């Protein structure tokens, strides 16, 4: 299936919602739904049933004629078919085709273009008019510390030294009508910027963009290398420059046809803190406790007429993974592929991530030509900045094992791994996730360590080259498997209709 390379027609969130509706991938929720827990609960139940993306049109307290914002879109990424459509394919393509497309596009760039004005500035609110509670931000999950406004918002910041812009997704919770509490992890790109603003003792300007071409979110939620602006990569995906407008109160640029933008600053005053957390995280576990953290002091809100808020229920659970999980599985596989190729490791055949781990576990299929190759793979992945929060477990398999087939993986681990040898390698004290509940709390303290610490694991489930060859195994180091010989299969196939099976009408 060919990608529609011009990505034509997708200029904003609305055109994607239309596309999804046309393709039977969007359901409007017309009955009243409460933003308070009901909307999140319903989202989970829709994920569990592999249901459509949703446009909520009747949200409690926001369904009055004078409501500033009455709609919320969610679930746009929660299947590979929807990701395929969003990237411009006509219908669902295979996991591998998606990954190949992303591998090709992620390293490309086209610079954005500035435009004078855009519909994002149809409404500009400042001063007393600023009220985040005017927007139907859900209290997604009962264990969340509050209403998380930043779940699928693209957060824009600039490097104060180089002026480079970064676009990333980082959680944020409404704490007052003009304050969003945030969790800044130093190793994330806005964290790099934040460290520099702190050194300068200057507040960091921030813009939060909700609802635009979803490829923006697809890239903002993924580790595009530091110093590469996600807007530039987005331009390459669209094959045209991203049209940006200047913000009203901060020196930052946002897409001209975004639904909603919140502008503000994060103060470097150590006493400027609000309570943030806990949050139902991507791991499927609730993380941390209410903690005093930095906040975005809102200086302006701008939005289109009749804006559509964009957000998502976070948290992967077996059988009920959401948007972040699906998009991460594709992006993190493609990024791993690019890292391995970039390191010049030969024989990389496939990379697979099951959405439920968001990339915490990654399977790499290789054509093995040297014994140290699986270690070469894990070292390259763990040495990359993209390993923040990801690639904790690296499982390397041979060519005959389909990395997306769990029965094949289980078989390889059962019979190609000899625990107690270097088939199983643990790399302790590496940088890692602050959110993994299997890691002790003291190793997850951002305040003390700047980031999390992770013990990482390689399972080398490839056939070892260390055994001697044996003549009766055809001069191989491993015995032959009991797969049928092709010539025997041919015989059975040719005689299939003669066997006279009763009660079974299978065709060969
Ligand atoms: C829905 C969603 C929510 C996310 N929430 C957070 C978050 O709260 N904190 C965080 O550090 N990363 C979060 N991420 C992951 C980051 O977006 C990801 O690491 C990305 O690479 C950050 O951008 P950067 O590489 O430019 O720093 C989230 C991703 C998605 C898709
Ligand atoms: Mn970045």
């Amino acid at each position: 299936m060919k990608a529609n390379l011009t990505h034509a027609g997708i200029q904003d969130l609305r055109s994607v919602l239309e596309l999804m509706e046309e393709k039977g991938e969007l359901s409007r929720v017309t009955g009243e739904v409460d933003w308070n827990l009901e909307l999140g609960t319903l989202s989970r139940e829709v994920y569990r049933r592999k249901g459509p993306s949703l446009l909520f049109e009747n949200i409690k307290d926001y369904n009055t004629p004078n409501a500033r914002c009455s709609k919320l879109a969610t679930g746009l990424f929660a299947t590979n078919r929807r990701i395929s459509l969003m990237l411009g394919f006509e219908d669902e393509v295979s996991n591998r085709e998606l990954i190949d497309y992303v591998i090709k596009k992620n390293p490309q760039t086209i610079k954005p273009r500035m435009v004078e004005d855009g519909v994002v500035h149809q409404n500009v609110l400042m001063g007393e008019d600023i009220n985040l509670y005017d927007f139907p931000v859900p209290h997604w999950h009962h264990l969340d510390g509050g209403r998380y406004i930043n779940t699928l918002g693209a957060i824009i910041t600039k490097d104060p030294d180089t002026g480079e812009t970064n676009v990333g997704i980082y959680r944020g919770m409404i704490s007052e009508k003009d304050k969003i509490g945030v969790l800044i992890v130093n190793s994330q790109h806005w964290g790099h910027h934040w460290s520099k603003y702190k050194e300068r003792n200057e507040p960091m300007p921030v813009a939060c963009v909700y609802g635009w071409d979803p490829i923006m979110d697809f890239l903002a939620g993924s580790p595009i290398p530091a110093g590469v602006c996600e807007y530039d990569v987005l331009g390459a995906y669209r094959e045209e420059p991203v049209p940006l407008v200047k913000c009203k109160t901060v020196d930052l640029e946002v897409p001209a046809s975004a639904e909603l933008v919140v502008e503000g600053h994060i103060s470097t005053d150590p006493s400027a803190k609000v309570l943030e957390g806990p949050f139902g995280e991507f791991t499927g576990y609730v993380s941390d406790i209410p903690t005093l953290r930095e906040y975005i002091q809102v200086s302006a809100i701008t939005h289109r007429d009749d804006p559509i808020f964009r957000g998502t229920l976070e948290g992967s659970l077996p059988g009920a993974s959401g948007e972040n999980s699906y998009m991460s599985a594709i992006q993190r596989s493609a990024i791993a592929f690019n890292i391995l190729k970039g390191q010049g490791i030969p024989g990389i055949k496939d990379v697979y991530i099951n959405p439920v781990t968001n990339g915490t576990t990654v399977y790499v299929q290789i054509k093995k030509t040297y014994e140290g190759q699986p270690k070469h793979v894990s070292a390259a992945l763990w040495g990359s900045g993209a390993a923040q929060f990801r690639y904790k477990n690296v499982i390397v398999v041979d060519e005959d094992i389909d990395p997306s087939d769990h029965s094949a993986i289980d078989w390889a681990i059962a019979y190609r791994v000899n625990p107690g040898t270097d088939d199983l390698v643990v790399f302790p004290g590496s940088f890692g996730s602050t959110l993994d509940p299997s890691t002790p709390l003291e190793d997850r303290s951002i305040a003390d360590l700047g980031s999390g610490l992770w013990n990482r694991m390689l399972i080398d489930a490839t056939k070892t080259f260390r055994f001697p060859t044996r003549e009766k195994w055809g001069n191989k180091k491993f015995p032959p498997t009991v797969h049928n010989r092709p010539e025997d299969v041919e015989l059975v196939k040719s005689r299939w209709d003669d066997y006279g099976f009763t009660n079974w009408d299978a065709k060969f």
Side-chain angles (χ1 to χ4, degrees), residues 14-76:
R14 294 167 195 209
S15 45
V16 170
L17 296 179
E18 265 171 39
L19 171 74
M20 290 298 158
E21 196 160 35
E22 213 178 275
K23 297 282 188 181
E25 290 285 347
L26 177 92
S27 179
R28 290 167 192 266
V29 185
T30 55
E32 189 184 70
V33 176
D34 196 334
W35 55 267
N36 190 13
L37 304 185
E38 188 179 13
L39 196 151
T41 307
L42 186 157
S43 291
R44 173 76 63 207
E45 293 308 319
V46 173
Y47 289 154
R48 202 184 298 291
R49 290 160 181 76
K50 309 268 179 274
S53 60
L54 303 172
L55 180 62
F56 290 92
E57 297 184 326
N58 186 354
I59 303 168
K60 186 166 177 249
D61 301 332
Y62 297 86
N63 43 11
T64 55
N66 57 353
R68 182 167 288 289
C69 177
S70 61
K71 300 191 181 81
L72 180 151
T74 195
L76 288 170

Coordinates of all heavy atoms in Angstrom, one line a residue, residues 14-76:
R14 N -9.3 18.8 12.8 CA -10.7 18.6 12.2 C -10.6 17.7 11.0 O -11.5 16.9 10.8 CB -11.3 19.9 12.0 CG -11.6 20.6 13.3 CD -12.0 22.1 13.1 NE -11.8 22.7 14.4 CZ -12.5 23.8 14.8 NH1 -13.4 24.3 14.0 NH2 -12.4 24.3 16.0
S15 N -9.6 18.0 10.1 CA -9.6 17.2 8.9 C -9.3 15.7 9.2 O -9.7 14.8 8.5 CB -8.6 17.8 7.9 OG -7.4 18.1 8.5
V16 N -8.5 15.5 10.3 CA -8.2 14.1 10.6 C -9.5 13.4 11.2 O -9.8 12.3 10.9 CB -7.1 14.0 11.7 CG1 -6.9 12.6 12.2 CG2 -5.8 14.4 11.0
L17 N -10.2 14.2 12.0 CA -11.5 13.6 12.5 C -12.4 13.2 11.4 O -13.1 12.2 11.4 CB -12.1 14.6 13.5 CG -11.3 14.9 14.8 CD1 -12.1 15.9 15.6 CD2 -11.0 13.7 15.6
E18 N -12.5 14.1 10.4 CA -13.3 13.8 9.2 C -12.9 12.5 8.5 O -13.6 11.7 8.2 CB -13.2 14.9 8.2 CG -14.3 15.9 8.3 CD -14.0 17.1 7.4 OE1 -13.5 17.0 6.2 OE2 -14.3 18.3 7.8
L19 N -11.5 12.4 8.3 CA -11.0 11.2 7.7 C -11.3 10.0 8.5 O -11.7 9.0 7.9 CB -9.4 11.4 7.6 CG -8.7 10.2 7.1 CD1 -8.8 9.9 5.6 CD2 -7.2 10.3 7.4
M20 N -11.2 10.1 9.8 CA -11.4 8.9 10.7 C -12.9 8.5 10.6 O -13.3 7.3 10.5 CB -11.1 9.2 12.1 CG -9.6 9.3 12.4 SD -8.7 7.8 12.0 CE -7.1 8.4 11.7
E21 N -13.8 9.5 10.5 CA -15.2 9.2 10.4 C -15.5 8.5 9.1 O -16.3 7.5 9.1 CB -16.0 10.5 10.6 CG -17.5 10.3 10.9 CD -18.1 11.5 11.5 OE1 -17.7 12.7 11.1 OE2 -19.0 11.4 12.4
E22 N -15.0 9.1 8.1 CA -15.1 8.5 6.7 C -14.7 7.0 6.7 O -15.3 6.2 6.0 CB -14.3 9.3 5.8 CG -14.7 9.5 4.4 CD -13.6 10.4 3.8 OE1 -13.7 11.6 3.9 OE2 -12.7 9.9 3.1
K23 N -13.6 6.7 7.4 CA -13.1 5.4 7.3 C -13.7 4.5 8.4 O -13.2 3.4 8.7 CB -11.5 5.4 7.5 CG -10.8 6.2 6.5 CD -10.6 5.4 5.2 CE -9.7 6.1 4.2 NZ -9.5 5.3 3.0
G24 N -14.7 5.0 9.1 CA -15.3 4.1 10.1 C -14.5 4.0 11.4 O -14.7 3.0 12.1
E25 N -13.6 4.9 11.6 CA -12.7 4.8 12.8 C -13.0 5.9 13.9 O -12.2 6.0 14.8 CB -11.3 5.0 12.3 CG -10.7 3.9 11.5 CD -10.4 2.6 12.3 OE1 -10.3 2.7 13.5 OE2 -10.2 1.6 11.7
L26 N -14.1 6.6 13.7 CA -14.5 7.6 14.7 C -15.9 7.4 15.1 O -16.8 7.3 14.3 CB -14.2 9.0 14.2 CG -14.6 10.1 15.2 CD1 -13.4 10.5 16.0 CD2 -15.2 11.3 14.5
S27 N -16.2 7.5 16.4 CA -17.6 7.5 16.9 C -17.8 8.8 17.7 O -16.9 9.1 18.5 CB -17.8 6.3 17.8 OG -19.1 6.3 18.3
R28 N -18.9 9.5 17.4 CA -19.2 10.6 18.2 C -20.0 10.1 19.4 O -20.9 9.3 19.2 CB -20.1 11.6 17.4 CG -19.4 12.3 16.3 CD -20.4 12.9 15.3 NE -19.7 13.4 14.1 CZ -19.2 14.6 14.0 NH1 -19.3 15.5 14.9 NH2 -18.5 14.9 12.9
V29 N -19.6 10.6 20.5 CA -20.4 10.2 21.8 C -21.4 11.4 22.0 O -21.0 12.5 22.5 CB -19.4 10.0 22.9 CG1 -20.2 9.5 24.2 CG2 -18.3 9.0 22.5
T30 N -22.6 11.1 21.7 CA -23.6 12.2 21.8 C -24.4 12.3 23.1 O -24.9 13.3 23.4 CB -24.7 12.0 20.6 OG1 -25.2 10.7 20.7 CG2 -24.0 12.2 19.3
G31 N -24.3 11.2 23.9 CA -25.0 11.2 25.2 C -24.1 11.9 26.2 O -22.8 12.0 26.0
E32 N -24.7 12.4 27.2 CA -23.9 13.1 28.2 C -22.9 12.2 29.0 O -23.2 11.1 29.4 CB -24.8 13.8 29.3 CG -24.0 14.8 30.1 CD -24.8 15.4 31.2 OE1 -25.2 14.7 32.2 OE2 -25.1 16.7 31.1
V33 N -21.7 12.7 29.1 CA -20.6 12.0 29.8 C -20.0 13.0 30.8 O -19.7 14.1 30.4 CB -19.6 11.4 28.8 CG1 -18.4 10.8 29.6 CG2 -20.2 10.4 27.9
D34 N -19.7 12.5 32.0 CA -19.1 13.4 33.0 C -17.6 13.4 32.8 O -17.0 12.3 32.6 CB -19.4 12.8 34.4 CG -19.2 13.8 35.5 OD1 -18.3 14.7 35.3 OD2 -19.9 13.7 36.6
W35 N -17.0 14.6 32.8 CA -15.5 14.7 32.7 C -14.9 14.1 33.9 O -13.7 13.7 33.9 CB -15.1 16.2 32.6 CG -15.6 17.1 33.7 CD1 -16.8 17.8 33.6 CD2 -15.1 17.3 35.0 NE1 -17.0 18.4 34.8 CE2 -15.9 18.1 35.7 CE3 -13.9 16.8 35.6 CZ2 -15.7 18.5 37.0 CZ3 -13.6 17.2 36.9 CH2 -14.5 18.1 37.6
N36 N -15.6 14.0 35.0 CA -15.1 13.5 36.2 C -15.2 12.0 36.3 O -16.2 11.4 36.6 CB -15.9 14.2 37.4 CG -15.2 13.9 38.7 OD1 -14.1 13.4 38.8 ND2 -15.9 14.2 39.8
L37 N -14.1 11.3 35.9 CA -13.9 9.8 36.0 C -14.7 9.0 34.9 O -14.2 8.1 34.4 CB -14.2 9.3 37.4 CG -13.4 9.9 38.5 CD1 -13.7 9.2 39.9 CD2 -12.0 9.9 38.3
E38 N -15.9 9.5 34.6 CA -16.7 8.7 33.7 C -16.1 8.6 32.3 O -16.0 7.6 31.6 CB -18.1 9.3 33.5 CG -19.1 8.4 32.7 CD -20.5 8.9 32.6 OE1 -20.7 10.1 33.0 OE2 -21.4 8.2 32.2
L39 N -15.6 9.8 31.8 CA -15.0 9.8 30.5 C -13.7 8.9 30.4 O -13.5 8.2 29.4 CB -14.6 11.3 30.2 CG -14.3 11.6 28.7 CD1 -14.7 13.1 28.4 CD2 -12.9 11.4 28.3
G40 N -12.9 8.9 31.4 CA -11.7 8.1 31.4 C -12.1 6.6 31.6 O -11.5 5.8 30.9
T41 N -13.1 6.3 32.4 CA -13.5 4.9 32.6 C -14.0 4.4 31.3 O -13.7 3.3 30.8 CB -14.6 4.8 33.6 OG1 -14.2 5.5 34.8 CG2 -15.0 3.4 33.9
L42 N -14.8 5.2 30.6 CA -15.4 4.8 29.3 C -14.2 4.6 28.3 O -14.3 3.6 27.5 CB -16.3 5.9 28.8 CG -17.2 5.7 27.6 CD1 -18.4 6.7 27.7 CD2 -16.4 6.0 26.3
S43 N -13.2 5.4 28.3 CA -12.1 5.3 27.4 C -11.5 3.9 27.5 O -11.1 3.2 26.6 CB -11.0 6.3 27.6 OG -11.5 7.6 27.3
R44 N -11.2 3.5 28.8 CA -10.6 2.2 29.1 C -11.4 1.1 28.5 O -10.9 0.2 27.9 CB -10.3 2.1 30.6 CG -9.8 0.7 31.0 CD -8.4 0.4 30.7 NE -7.5 1.4 31.5 CZ -6.3 1.7 31.1 NH1 -5.8 1.3 30.0 NH2 -5.6 2.6 31.8
E45 N -12.7 1.2 28.7 CA -13.6 0.1 28.3 C -13.6 0.1 26.7 O -13.8 -1.0 26.1 CB -15.0 0.3 28.8 CG -15.1 0.1 30.4 CD -14.4 -1.3 30.8 OE1 -14.6 -2.3 30.1 OE2 -13.7 -1.2 31.8
V46 N -13.5 1.2 26.1 CA -13.4 1.2 24.6 C -12.1 0.6 24.1 O -12.1 -0.2 23.2 CB -13.6 2.7 24.1 CG1 -13.4 2.7 22.5 CG2 -15.0 3.1 24.4
Y47 N -11.0 0.9 24.8 CA -9.7 0.3 24.5 C -9.8 -1.2 24.6 O -9.3 -1.9 23.8 CB -8.6 0.8 25.4 CG -8.2 2.2 25.2 CD1 -7.6 3.0 26.2 CD2 -8.3 2.8 23.9 CE1 -7.2 4.3 26.0 CE2 -7.9 4.2 23.7 CZ -7.3 4.9 24.8 OH -6.9 6.2 24.6
R48 N -10.4 -1.6 25.7 CA -10.5 -3.1 26.0 C -11.2 -3.8 24.8 O -10.9 -4.9 24.5 CB -11.3 -3.3 27.3 CG -11.0 -4.6 28.0 CD -11.9 -4.8 29.2 NE -11.7 -3.8 30.3 CZ -10.6 -3.7 31.0 NH1 -9.6 -4.6 30.8 NH2 -10.5 -2.8 31.9
R49 N -12.2 -3.1 24.2 CA -13.0 -3.7 23.1 C -12.4 -3.3 21.8 O -13.0 -3.6 20.7 CB -14.4 -3.2 23.2 CG -15.1 -3.8 24.4 CD -16.4 -3.0 24.8 NE -17.0 -3.6 26.0 CZ -16.5 -3.5 27.3 NH1 -15.4 -2.8 27.5 NH2 -17.1 -4.2 28.3
K50 N -11.2 -2.7 21.7 CA -10.5 -2.3 20.5 C -11.5 -1.4 19.6 O -11.6 -1.6 18.4 CB -10.1 -3.5 19.6 CG -9.3 -4.6 20.4 CD -7.8 -4.3 20.3 CE -6.9 -5.3 21.1 NZ -6.7 -5.0 22.5
G51 N -12.2 -0.6 20.4 CA -13.2 0.3 19.7 C -12.6 1.5 19.0 O -11.4 1.6 18.9
P52 N -13.5 2.3 18.4 CA -13.0 3.5 17.6 C -12.5 4.6 18.4 O -12.5 4.6 19.7 CB -14.4 3.9 17.0 CG -15.4 3.6 18.0 CD -14.9 2.3 18.6
S53 N -11.9 5.6 17.7 CA -11.6 6.8 18.4 C -12.9 7.6 18.7 O -13.9 7.3 18.1 CB -10.6 7.7 17.5 OG -11.2 8.0 16.3
L54 N -12.8 8.5 19.6 CA -14.1 9.1 20.1 C -14.0 10.6 20.1 O -13.0 11.2 20.4 CB -14.3 8.7 21.6 CG -14.3 7.2 21.9 CD1 -14.3 6.9 23.4 CD2 -15.5 6.5 21.2
L55 N -15.1 11.2 19.7 CA -15.3 12.6 19.8 C -16.5 12.9 20.7 O -17.6 12.6 20.4 CB -15.6 13.2 18.4 CG -15.8 14.8 18.4 CD1 -14.5 15.5 18.9 CD2 -16.2 15.2 17.0
F56 N -16.1 13.3 21.9 CA -17.2 13.6 22.9 C -17.8 14.9 22.6 O -17.1 16.0 22.5 CB -16.6 13.6 24.4 CG -16.1 12.2 24.8 CD1 -14.8 11.8 24.6 CD2 -17.0 11.4 25.5 CE1 -14.4 10.5 25.0 CE2 -16.7 10.1 25.9 CZ -15.4 9.7 25.7
E57 N -19.1 14.9 22.5 CA -19.8 16.2 22.1 C -20.8 16.7 23.2 O -21.4 17.7 23.0 CB -20.6 15.9 20.8 CG -19.7 15.6 19.6 CD -20.5 15.4 18.3 OE1 -21.7 15.0 18.4 OE2 -20.0 15.8 17.3
N58 N -20.9 15.9 24.2 CA -21.9 16.3 25.3 C -21.3 16.0 26.6 O -21.6 15.0 27.3 CB -23.1 15.4 25.0 CG -24.3 15.8 25.9 OD1 -24.2 16.6 26.8 ND2 -25.4 15.2 25.6
I59 N -20.4 16.9 27.0 CA -19.6 16.6 28.3 C -20.3 17.5 29.4 O -20.5 18.7 29.2 CB -18.2 17.1 28.1 CG1 -17.5 16.3 27.0 CG2 -17.4 16.8 29.4 CD1 -16.2 16.8 26.5
K60 N -20.6 16.8 30.5 CA -21.3 17.4 31.6 C -20.6 18.7 32.0 O -19.3 18.8 32.0 CB -21.3 16.5 32.8 CG -22.1 17.0 34.0 CD -22.4 15.9 35.0 CE -23.1 16.5 36.1 NZ -22.4 16.5 37.3
D61 N -21.3 19.7 32.3 CA -20.9 21.1 32.7 C -20.3 21.9 31.5 O -20.0 23.1 31.6 CB -19.8 21.1 33.8 CG -20.3 20.4 35.0 OD1 -21.5 20.4 35.3 OD2 -19.4 19.8 35.7
Y62 N -20.1 21.2 30.3 CA -19.6 21.9 29.1 C -20.5 21.8 28.0 O -20.2 22.0 26.8 CB -18.2 21.4 28.8 CG -17.2 21.6 29.9 CD1 -17.1 20.7 30.9 CD2 -16.4 22.7 29.9 CE1 -16.2 20.9 32.0 CE2 -15.5 23.0 30.9 CZ -15.4 22.1 32.0 OH -14.6 22.3 33.0
N63 N -21.8 21.5 28.3 CA -22.8 21.3 27.2 C -23.8 22.4 27.2 O -24.9 22.3 26.7 CB -23.5 19.9 27.3 CG -23.8 19.5 28.7 OD1 -23.8 20.4 29.6 ND2 -24.2 18.3 29.0
T64 N -23.5 23.5 27.8 CA -24.4 24.7 27.8 C -24.0 25.6 26.6 O -22.9 25.6 26.1 CB -24.2 25.5 29.0 OG1 -22.8 25.9 29.2 CG2 -24.6 24.7 30.3
P65 N -25.0 26.4 26.1 CA -24.8 27.2 24.9 C -23.6 28.2 25.0 O -22.9 28.5 24.0 CB -26.1 28.0 24.7 CG -27.1 27.3 25.5 CD -26.4 26.6 26.6
N66 N -23.3 28.6 26.2 CA -22.2 29.6 26.4 C -20.9 29.0 26.8 O -19.9 29.7 27.1 CB -22.6 30.7 27.3 CG -23.0 30.2 28.7 OD1 -23.0 28.9 28.8 ND2 -23.2 31.0 29.7
A67 N -20.8 27.7 26.7 CA -19.5 27.0 27.0 C -18.4 27.4 26.1 O -18.6 27.5 24.9 CB -19.7 25.5 27.0
R68 N -17.2 27.7 26.6 CA -16.1 28.1 25.7 C -15.6 26.9 24.9 O -15.2 27.1 23.7 CB -15.0 28.6 26.6 CG -13.8 29.1 25.8 CD -12.8 29.9 26.7 NE -13.4 31.3 27.1 CZ -13.5 32.3 26.2 NH1 -13.2 32.2 24.9 NH2 -14.0 33.4 26.6
C69 N -15.7 25.7 25.4 CA -15.2 24.5 24.7 C -16.1 23.4 25.1 O -16.2 23.1 26.3 CB -13.7 24.3 25.1 SG -13.1 22.8 24.4
S70 N -16.6 22.7 24.2 CA -17.6 21.6 24.5 C -17.2 20.2 24.0 O -17.9 19.3 24.2 CB -19.0 22.0 23.9 OG -18.9 22.1 22.5
K71 N -16.1 20.2 23.3 CA -15.7 18.9 22.7 C -14.3 18.4 23.1 O -13.4 19.2 23.4 CB -15.8 19.0 21.2 CG -17.1 19.4 20.6 CD -17.1 19.3 19.1 CE -18.5 19.7 18.5 NZ -18.5 21.2 18.4
L72 N -14.2 17.1 23.0 CA -12.9 16.4 23.3 C -12.7 15.3 22.4 O -13.6 14.4 22.2 CB -12.9 16.0 24.8 CG -11.6 15.3 25.3 CD1 -11.4 15.5 26.8 CD2 -11.5 13.8 25.0
A73 N -11.5 15.2 21.8 CA -11.2 14.0 20.9 C -10.1 13.2 21.6 O -9.2 13.7 22.2 CB -10.7 14.6 19.6
T74 N -10.3 11.9 21.5 CA -9.4 10.9 22.1 C -9.3 9.6 21.3 O -10.2 9.3 20.5 CB -9.7 10.7 23.6 OG1 -8.6 10.1 24.2 CG2 -11.0 9.8 23.7
G75 N -8.2 8.9 21.5 CA -8.1 7.5 20.9 C -7.6 7.5 19.5 O -7.7 6.4 18.8
L76 N -7.2 8.6 18.9 CA -6.8 8.7 17.5 C -5.7 7.8 17.1 O -5.5 7.4 15.9 CB -6.5 10.1 17.1 CG -7.7 11.0 17.0 CD1 -7.3 12.5 16.8 CD2 -8.6 10.6 15.9

